[in-house]
Amino acid sequence: SLELKSLSEDFFQSKSTDDTEMQVEEEPPVDPQILKDLIRTQVAAETKKLSNEVNRLKTALARHQAKNGPRDPSGASKKLGKQAAGPSNATADAKKKKERQKSKKKSQQSSNKNPSNSKRN
């Protein structure tokens, strides 16, 4: 209990805040030119790192393009030829096939409902 009371007085009383404020105020101000030079140095270092990374990626991309050839801007493979421009025939054929299967099921269901129609032969 006494320890908590001591901690409360140390951390939550304004005395510690006042002490910290005094320490900060005692520090001499930084010369604006020194601060600007420090910022400039740090920015130049980071910019150099990023420039090196960009150049490395450009070189890797150039090597990749030289190896694989340039890409078609449409994103489609050149091997597909004219099919790349529109929907593939396989997709259209699959849709037609589904429609035929649906109509076939409907006709089978309707003939199952009317057994007299299917036994006339």
Side-chain angles (χ1 to χ4, degrees), residues 6-59:
S6 171
L7 286 173
S8 173
E9 288 174 3
D10 288 344
F11 291 105
F12 300 115
Q13 300 299 324
S14 64
K15 181 182 182 298
S16 60
T17 306
D18 292 339
D19 290 344
T20 306
E21 183 181 355
M22 286 178 56
Q23 287 176 352
V24 169
E25 287 179 3
E26 288 176 2
E27 291 181 9
V30 177
D31 182 28
Q33 187 61 37
I34 292 173
L35 189 58
K36 286 179 183 178
D37 288 342
L38 179 63
I39 292 171
R40 189 178 302 119
T41 304
Q42 292 294 322
V43 168
E46 290 299 317
T47 302
K48 185 175 180 179
K49 286 179 190 177
L50 291 174
S51 295
N52 289 340
E53 180 72 10
V54 167
N55 289 335
R56 186 186 65 78
L57 291 171
K58 283 181 179 179
T59 304

Side-chain angles (χ1 to χ4, degrees), residues 62-112:
R63 270 191 254 128
H64 179 73
Q65 286 178 343
K67 181 180 175 184
N68 297 328
R71 295 290 302 190
D72 183 20
S74 68
S77 174
K78 291 182 178 181
K79 294 178 185 176
L80 294 176
K82 293 181 181 177
Q83 289 181 353
S88 68
N89 290 336
T91 306
D93 292 342
K95 286 181 181 178
K96 288 178 184 177
K97 186 176 181 181
K98 280 186 178 183
E99 289 173 7
R100 283 192 299 253
Q101 289 174 346
K102 284 182 183 180
S103 64
K104 188 175 181 181
K105 281 184 181 180
K106 284 183 181 179
S107 66
Q108 286 177 350
Q109 288 174 350
S110 65
S111 65
N112 288 342

